[in-house]
Amino acid sequence: MKEVYGAGIMFFYFLKWPILVGLPWMYANGLKENYILDILWLYCAFLVLKDIYMLIKKRKTDS
């Protein structure tokens, strides 16, 4: 189970930005409706927003 968890962390650490930016580009270039990729995109958007929130929160506590 630890291996699956670690693989998920590594997957989203390196691929959240390419998925967040690339999926709308792929839809604009003819990708058909894909619900699994939509859910993956929403999860990546959540992770990016969480990272931005944590960055802002860290800056406020350091000041």
Side-chain angles (χ1 to χ4, degrees), residues 18-34 37-38 40-41:
I19 291 171
L20 189 70
V21 174
L23 190 62
W25 181 82
M26 289 190 302
Y27 276 135
N29 288 315
L31 179 69
K32 301 289 189 242
E33 188 74 23
N34 190 328
L37 285 179
D38 290 344
L40 185 65
W41 186 85

Side-chain angles (χ1 to χ4, degrees), residues 1-15 43:
M1 192 66 182
K2 288 191 289 186
E3 290 84 11
V4 173
Y5 181 71
I9 289 173
M10 294 301 289
F11 177 81
F12 286 109
Y13 181 79
F14 287 109
L15 292 177
Y43 187 66

Side-chain angles (χ1 to χ4, degrees), residues 48-60:
V48 167
L49 290 173
K50 181 189 72 91
D51 289 345
I52 292 170
Y53 171 75
M54 294 302 286
L55 181 68
I56 292 170
K57 183 178 173 185
K58 183 180 177 187
R59 283 190 181 171
K60 284 185 179 179

